[in-house]
Amino acid sequence: MTILRTVVFAVATAALTTTAYAETLRLSHNTGDQTSWQKGADKFAELVNAGSDGDLSIRIFPNAQLTGGDQMKQAEMVGRGSIDFVVTSAINVTPLVPEMAVFSLPYLYANYDQVDATTDGAPGEKMAEILAEHGLHLLAWGENGFREVTNNKHPIKTPDDLKGLKMRVAGPMYIDVMNALGANPQQMQWTETFSALQQGVVDGQENPIGAVIIPQRVYEVQKYITPWHYSYDPIFIATSSQNWDSWDADTQAMIADAAQQAMTYQKDITREATASGLEMLKAEGMEVYTPTDADLAAFREATKAPFDTWAAKVGLDLVTLFRDTIASS
Ligand code: X2X
């Protein structure tokens, strides 16, 4: 397949011409090169390369290298057209697109079926429209996962156990949630978190088991884990609207399909790693506390105030759209 890209020359006569050439595109993501984010990105690159008969190659930059380690900057740079693709999670986009926090509202989701009903349904489409207003063309949803809490001080069984713990968090909503739980949260880049945990700068963190805790070896520097499922975080692949509009219809279809296949694969391997994850973490020496229904009710109650604050920020109509879809799934 030949890639046709429309190039506008800024000459007096504003001529429009179409050329064919091989091109390298840059993809940024903000986890390490062993994660399912990386594997999904690798699969996407492989499929696009094959689908374009080698005309398009994608170079992958892990650890938010292209934004100097600033994981929240990636989406903005893609929106402006200075990076071609991003694989990142919803929480990282909230400074640019606050509505993206809707996915991660505390205890919005109870299980994967509910998650899939929203990403595959009207809520996912609505979020794609909102991202488009910021110059981001959504290609496909993948999975970071349910974010579970770890720390080095003691098992977390009740909200009281979070009191005074120094917690690293990824984004502004989690600051409010951790404050509501009585913890001492601080926002920190993911790439700086391992050494901060190792050196005791922070006591704990929260991340999904299959996508992050296992491949990034968080168990080497954390003793206790509580799978409390307090917040879900999707990932996605997006390109800039500029790139998207510059591709002919065949190229657009090929790229959209590659992204869909890559994220389906990424979601599958993430869920597999998560399913066997707690056993693996125990074998690595972590102590697991599985919360009871009563514990979960207490965590839900304790995070109700930040839920309401952030529901108002993202917009109640959007929250209703998500809740209605979840209720009928
Ligand atoms: O920074 C995190 O915690 C991570 C890797 O999960 C995200 O990118 C949100």
Side-chain angles (χ1 to χ4, degrees):
M1 179 176 156
T2 306
I3 304 302
L4 296 179
R5 192 186 258 271
T6 305
V7 182
V8 181
F9 289 102
V11 293
T13 52
L16 202 65
T17 182
T18 299
T19 56
Y21 53 93
E23 196 178 0
T24 300
L25 300 168
R26 300 190 304 168
L27 182 152
S28 176
H29 79 85
N30 54 282
T31 60
D33 62 7
Q34 302 298 315
T35 64
S36 63
W37 299 34
Q38 171 81 32
K39 289 179 180 147
D42 285 340
K43 174 75 80 188
F44 177 61
E46 190 185 300
L47 291 168
V48 167
N49 196 250
S52 65
D53 292 332
D55 284 343
L56 291 180
S57 59
I58 296 177
R59 184 158 171 218
I60 298 163
F61 296 83
N63 294 313
Q65 287 166 20
L66 293 178
T67 49
D70 188 341
Q71 62 192 77
M72 305 251 173
K73 263 258 143 62
Q74 302 169 104
E76 188 192 322
M77 287 194 48
V78 172
R80 289 207 307 256
S82 34
I83 298 174
D84 296 297
F85 297 99
V86 69
V87 171
T88 195
S89 83
I91 198 71
N92 291 291
V93 190
T94 53
L96 179 69
V97 188
E99 293 94 329
M100 285 293 275
V102 64
F103 285 107
S104 311
L105 289 169
Y107 292 102
L108 177 69
Y109 295 106
N111 56 49
Y112 291 137
D113 284 347
Q114 295 180 355
V115 168
D116 295 344
T118 56
T119 49
D120 297 346
E125 279 168 32
K126 179 70 190 169
M127 295 315 299
E129 281 168 28
I130 294 172
L131 288 168
E133 290 163 15
H134 298 270
L136 289 161
H137 182 91
L138 180 100
L139 293 166
W141 297 105
E143 181 149 289
N144 198 16
F146 283 100
R147 303 181 68 98
E148 318 297 15
V149 65
T150 70
N151 86 102
N152 265 335
K153 293 286 182 196
H154 49 241
I156 295 174
K157 303 180 176 177
T158 69
D160 266 359
D161 294 323
L162 277 140
K163 292 238 153 62
L165 283 187
K166 287 179 282 174
M167 297 298 298
R168 175 273 173 181
V169 295
M173 188 181 70
Y174 295 140
I175 293 267
D176 291 352
V177 175
M178 285 295 166
N179 275 326
L181 289 163
N184 254 328
Q186 57 176 290
Q187 199 166 325
M188 189 185 289
Q189 302 298 340
W190 175 244
T191 49
E192 290 164 8
T193 303
F194 189 93
S195 66
L197 290 166
Q198 195 165 37
Q199 291 161 18
V201 174
V202 285
D203 302 315
Q205 63 87 46
E206 44 74 56
N207 251 296
I209 291 174
V212 178
I213 291 180
I214 290 177
Q216 300 241 226
R217 311 177 77 84
V218 174
Y219 52 83
E220 288 182 357
V221 290
Q222 292 280 268
K223 178 74 183 163
Y224 304 100
I225 182 163
T226 301
W228 62 346
H229 283 35
Y230 89 127
S231 175
Y232 179 79
D233 193 25
I235 66 169
F236 61 91
I237 300 191
T239 188
S240 64
S241 306
Q242 264 164 270
N243 269 347
W244 183 255
D245 293 341
S246 75
W247 291 318
D248 62 85
D250 285 350
T251 306
Q252 287 180 344
M254 181 275 286
I255 288 176
D257 182 57
Q260 195 57 54
Q261 285 188 54
M263 286 292 99
T264 299
Y265 162 76
Q266 187 275 338
K267 199 187 272 193
D268 287 349
I269 59 172
T270 301
R271 288 184 185 179
E272 268 168 40
T274 302
S276 57
L278 287 173
E279 287 314 309
M280 191 268 180
L281 294 175
K282 273 186 211 161
E284 290 293 341
M286 283 193 94
E287 200 173 293
V288 179
Y289 178 74
T290 306
T292 63
D293 288 348
D295 297 333
L296 292 174
F299 286 127
R300 182 178 289 112
E301 183 57 32
T303 54
K304 196 175 173 313
F307 184 110
D308 291 343
T309 307
W310 279 85
K313 268 188 204 178
V314 306
L316 295 180
D317 288 353
L318 194 58
V319 178
T320 302
L321 176 64
F322 273 70
R323 280 189 149 159
D324 287 352
T325 305
I326 288 168
S328 59
S329 73

